[in-house]
Amino acid sequence: MIKLVVCDIDGTLIGADENLHEKASELTKRLDAEHILFSLATGRADYLVSRYAEQLDISVPYITCNGAAVVSGGRRLTEKLMDAAPLEAVITEADRLGLSIVYSLGGRESVWRETPWILESRRRYGRYGRVHRFSREEWADTKLDKVLILDENKEGKIDTIENHCRRLFPDYGFTRYIDWSVEIVAGGVSKAQGLKELAALLGIPLDEVLAIGDHQNDIEMITAAGQGAAVGNATADLKKAADYVCKAEALDGVIEAVNHFCFSGRQLRKVPNR
């Protein structure tokens, strides 16, 4: 029996407009009525998750920064950070190649410089307002949640960055998102590890967890959970790893997966506001 549903955000719970549809709130209310908990697991920094947690009235902790932290009420219950100093070479190379660099520090995001992708994201979503490069002292003293390096033009430059990342393993981990980007975290950090920590905090066995996602950073999470679902727009790799592949995409796929695993295929009904 599923007691906890953990869902990715981007491409799964929300679409490109980053807005949360009313159907998501209806879903969490239905789960609550059945005494099934609902939480989030995302690569987003803490401050970018809180509004979704509030909109969905989520009372349990959630996973941020691809598993680097488990957060509740704006406070980190667990975290695993990485030293910035060993990343100087890869960040310097990414900057030389003209790639976009976003890093998270204490649950807040900053960018290395203003690339066209950064400027467009700021215009569309209001993100990436802080631009800051580390001083020599900061390289030595700073501990980071994660670093995202992105090749907006998909020119193959991510291959070079991946090679740098491989030299850092196993002290650092990374996820490659096809030909688009690489995300770096501390060794051992993943959504799967975050899921294990979340389940332990809630006292729920992993085999009573349903995890739902759409991309490469969700693979370990959906395989760690008792049941794992891939929404219809998920990557081929995630679909191969999933116990269930949804026909519907994004939020409609989430609803399909919850119906399949939690409600025996019954259609989700609209739940009156309480």
Side-chain angles (χ1 to χ4, degrees):
M1 178 183 295
I2 299 298
K3 293 183 179 177
L4 171 65
V5 177
V6 178
C7 187
D8 171 54
I9 295 180
D10 292 275
T12 306
L13 198 63
I14 63 172
D17 64 0
E18 300 199 353
N19 292 321
L20 196 63
H21 194 279
E22 177 61 26
K23 287 190 291 186
S25 296
E26 294 170 7
L27 174 65
T28 56
K29 289 174 183 176
R30 176 73 184 281
L31 288 168
D32 184 58
E34 299 286 341
H35 306 291
I36 300 171
L37 300 176
F38 184 86
S39 187
L40 304 168
T42 178
R44 287 175 173 247
D46 305 14
Y47 82 105
L48 292 169
V49 187
S50 58
R51 71 181 178 103
Y52 297 116
E54 290 169 5
Q55 284 179 266
L56 295 171
D57 197 24
I58 293 175
S59 59
V60 298
Y62 48 84
I63 301 160
T64 67
C65 298
N66 270 335
V70 176
V71 179
S72 179
R75 181 174 66 90
R76 288 188 164 187
L77 305 181
T78 69
E79 65 177 6
K80 186 173 182 183
L81 309 180
M82 56 184 176
D83 291 327
L87 299 175
E88 183 173 2
V90 65
I91 289 176
T92 300
E93 178 65 6
D95 189 46
R96 185 188 70 80
L97 292 171
L99 304 181
S100 298
I101 303 165
V102 181
Y103 63 89
S104 175
L105 172 64
R108 307 291 298 184
E109 287 180 326
S110 299
V111 300
W112 208 248
R113 65 186 177 94
E114 294 175 321
T115 63
W117 182 83
I118 294 294
L119 292 172
E120 177 61 16
S121 297
R122 185 184 298 165
R123 183 189 69 80
R124 292 182 64 185
Y125 306 119
R127 295 173 64 176
Y128 309 135
R130 183 174 187 265
V131 182
H132 181 73
R133 294 170 178 254
F134 297 151
S135 66
R136 179 51 50 200
E137 292 76 16
E138 287 173 318
W139 275 118
D141 298 337
T142 299
K143 291 186 178 292
L144 298 167
D145 301 321
K146 66 166 192 168
V147 175
L148 172 68
I149 299 174
L150 185 141
D151 179 4
E152 61 189 276
N153 297 317
K154 302 182 181 180
E155 296 175 334
K157 296 175 182 178
I158 287 299
D159 292 338
T160 300
I161 302 305
E162 181 179 359
N163 289 335
H164 276 275
C165 292
R166 290 190 182 281
R167 298 186 197 114
L168 296 168
F169 186 82
D171 295 325
Y172 293 77
F174 71 94
T175 299
R176 175 162 177 169
Y177 299 92
I178 318 300
D179 56 352
W180 172 248
S181 64
V182 166
E183 197 156 56
I184 307 168
V185 292
V189 166
S190 67
K191 284 189 180 181
Q193 183 58 36
L195 179 65
K196 292 173 185 177
E197 293 170 356
L198 173 63
L201 286 168
L202 297 174
I204 296 175
L206 283 172
D207 61 7
E208 295 178 353
V209 176
L210 166 63
I212 310 170
D214 78 310
H215 222 302
Q216 304 302 99
N217 60 333
D218 298 315
I219 293 174
E220 291 183 41
M221 178 177 73
I222 70 165
T223 55
Q227 301 292 341
V231 291
N233 53 298
T235 63
D237 290 339
L238 190 76
K239 289 179 178 179
K240 287 178 184 177
D243 298 298
Y244 180 81
V245 177
C246 304
K247 295 182 177 66
E249 298 184 353
L251 176 56
D252 287 333
V254 174
I255 293 170
E256 178 186 336
V258 169
N259 277 330
H260 178 80
F261 286 106
C262 302
F263 303 134
S264 302
R266 286 178 283 146
Q267 292 299 306
L268 177 66
R269 299 189 301 271
K270 186 170 182 177
V271 177
N273 291 328
R274 291 179 294 177

